[in-house]
Amino acid sequence: MLASVPTLDPIVVLIANYSMALLFGLASYGKLSEFRVFCVTLEEYQLIPVQLVTTVAVAVTGLELLISVGACWQPTAQSAMFSASVLLTIYGFAIAINLMRGRRDIDCGCTGPARRQLLSGWLLIRNVGLIVIAFIGASVPSERALTASDIVLLALALIAVMALYAAINQLMVNAPRLDALDSIMDAR
Amino acid sequence: MENLLVVSNLILWVLVIGLGVTVLALARQVGVLYERIAPAGALMVLQGPAVGELAPQFELEAVSGETILLGGLSQAKKSTLLFFLSPTCPVCNTLIPILKSIQRSESAWLDIVFASDGDLGTQKAFITKKDITSFPYVLSPQLGMAYQVAKLPFAVLVDEHGVIRAKGLTNNREHLESLFSAMEQGVSSIQEFMSNRQQGAA
């Protein structure tokens, strides 16, 4: 489709596609399961008029779901990956604007509102990493027939990626708690 | 040789996944730990009259019309919990039912006084809505200034001799109760209590 995009081994592209599918699938599930709370989270970003919050929340959740499904199907995978990188860039700007406003104590809403995760610069770095993965997933793979062992490799890699991603997220959830403890110790 | 590579690769995958899961478990445990060791008590605020000092004296007219004496020797020989709130503060609203139940269970030694400022009409509507007409409710910007209340909800516990025994930012029931335990244990805040205990243990 795009000749300028570098070619990679198909398994690398597949791992990137399915990782993004899992990520966006979980994210939209989290948002859907507590949709009202997600609307409040979105409102707290203070970037869109209050009347539009529900519409945007529906659009964001729907788009994440579409990306998740689209990433799993070869003909749509590339467009899904490009949409994902656009969405992640918009999220990055939304977070950056609020960080500059000094609103660090609002919820990220990233993986749904169930797990409270405050805004921080680390989220921007994480988003850049995710955008890189999306670009890998958008590249055209070289011609190679996939075998059964490729499927095993895909499954193993996905488990590892998810564990790592969850661990990184947990560390970002932890960080403000540690800061809070530190400031109490300093106040003594 | 090729077999060996395949086997070693598989073993490495298992190890990588195992490590990933271990790191995740560790990060979660650290998170739980942070939550557990966070001080449960009200966050001590250093501004305003210090714990142990005499509470500033005020003679204020409550919204209901009665005269409320704050600070100085209590005629009823009771302690006073001065609770600063505002009708527009959501956390304050969640604490009102808790304060009602505290007043019921601790009425032998404690009186609760609500303090706020602003438009009388709004305040009266708020008092009726929250059904706190039986509590003394004073409107006085001077009172807030005397205690240098910067954030709400803020509570000050004054004993029957008019001495400030504990104070702080109170966001939940545990914070309120921490003021009472701070008074019982003769420390100014739960933070001080924790730090004394740590020093004692060291």
Side-chain angles (χ1 to χ4, degrees):
Chain A
M1 206 161 122
L2 285 176
S4 57
V5 186
T7 56
L8 290 166
D9 190 85
I11 192 64
V12 178
V13 178
L14 267 187
I15 290 171
N17 285 341
Y18 279 88
S19 303
M20 291 311 254
L22 266 175
L23 174 75
F24 277 92
L26 288 174
S28 55
Y29 172 74
K31 283 165 185 140
L32 274 177
S33 59
E34 277 191 76
F35 192 68
R36 295 315 320 172
V37 187
F38 174 58
C39 289
V40 179
T41 309
L42 198 59
E43 202 182 315
E44 281 299 314
Y45 269 89
Q46 293 186 355
L47 291 169
I48 42 174
V50 181
Q51 306 92 294
L52 288 180
V53 163
T54 314
T55 321
V56 175
V58 171
V60 164
T61 315
L63 197 58
E64 288 191 348
L65 208 58
L66 264 180
I67 290 172
S68 171
V69 176
C72 301
W73 194 44
Q74 216 46 48
T76 52
Q78 202 179 39
S79 5
M81 288 299 105
F82 280 127
S83 321
S85 44
V86 171
L87 204 56
L88 286 165
T89 312
I90 297 174
Y91 292 167
F93 274 109
I95 294 167
I97 291 170
N98 275 286
L99 285 178
M100 279 191 286
R101 287 175 177 167
R103 292 168 59 79
R104 278 167 185 272
D105 53 347
I106 64 172
D107 189 33
C108 158
C110 307
T111 38
R115 288 175 54 213
R116 196 168 155 72
Q117 182 175 16
L118 302 183
L119 294 192
S120 74
W122 292 109
L123 284 172
L124 297 178
I125 297 172
R126 186 200 67 178
N127 269 22
V128 171
L130 291 176
I131 291 170
V132 170
I133 295 177
F135 271 108
I136 293 174
S139 54
V140 180
S142 58
E143 292 291 324
R144 180 170 77 83
L146 292 176
T147 61
S149 25
D150 280 307
I151 307 301
V152 175
L153 183 56
L154 177 65
L156 290 173
L158 284 182
I159 299 172
V161 164
M162 279 301 123
L164 204 61
Y165 183 74
I168 292 171
N169 258 340
Q170 180 68 47
L171 286 177
M172 284 193 283
V173 171
N174 291 353
R177 293 182 188 161
L178 181 61
D179 288 346
L181 270 180
D182 279 345
S183 62
I184 290 168
M185 300 289 174
D186 290 344
R188 272 182 197 164
Chain B
M1 186 62 195
E2 204 176 310
N3 263 345
L4 178 70
L5 276 180
V6 170
V7 172
S8 95
N9 218 306
L10 277 177
I11 293 172
L12 285 175
W13 267 115
V14 171
L15 290 178
V16 164
I17 292 174
L19 277 175
V21 173
T22 312
V23 171
L24 175 62
L26 275 175
R28 279 181 178 270
Q29 284 184 4
V30 170
V32 171
L33 208 64
Y34 285 160
E35 234 167 24
R36 296 269 165 83
I37 58 175
L43 192 57
M44 179 67 175
V45 179
L46 297 170
Q47 300 149 322
V51 170
E53 284 180 14
L54 278 177
Q57 290 202 13
F58 279 94
E59 191 178 329
L60 298 164
E61 193 188 340
V63 172
S64 56
E66 56 183 324
T67 305
I68 307 290
L69 288 170
L70 291 171
L73 211 57
S74 161
Q75 273 142 15
K77 300 221 164 48
K78 278 188 187 183
S79 301
T80 307
L81 182 74
L82 198 53
F83 186 75
F84 290 89
L85 78 172
S86 151
T88 55
C89 144
V91 186
C92 306
N93 287 340
T94 60
L95 282 175
I96 287 176
I98 297 166
L99 285 162
K100 282 186 192 168
S101 83
I102 289 178
Q103 179 65 89
R104 272 195 299 276
S105 57
E106 312 292 331
S107 60
W109 65 276
L110 184 76
D111 280 327
I112 294 177
V113 175
F114 288 103
S116 187
D117 62 38
D119 178 57
L120 184 65
T122 320
Q123 299 281 1
K124 278 191 167 160
F126 175 72
I127 293 167
T128 319
K129 188 175 146 211
K130 291 289 165 191
D131 190 26
I132 44 173
T133 41
S134 58
F135 288 87
Y137 195 110
V138 294
L139 296 181
S140 163
Q142 289 80 15
L143 188 63
M145 274 190 273
Y147 284 100
Q148 296 194 25
V149 178
K151 272 186 172 175
L152 294 174
F154 189 87
V156 181
L157 186 59
V158 180
D159 71 6
E160 68 270 28
H161 306 293
V163 177
I164 301 172
R165 299 297 298 269
K167 62 171 190 166
L169 211 55
T170 50
N171 282 325
N172 54 43
R173 180 191 281 272
E174 285 73 36
H175 291 173
L176 281 169
E177 283 170 354
S178 78
L179 294 179
F180 302 139
S181 39
M183 177 169 168
E184 267 170 38
Q185 283 151 359
V187 289
S188 58
S189 72
I190 286 293
Q191 282 83 28
E192 187 191 315
F193 172 69
M194 301 268 284
S195 124
N196 287 351
R197 199 176 56 175
Q198 269 170 9
Q199 277 159 15

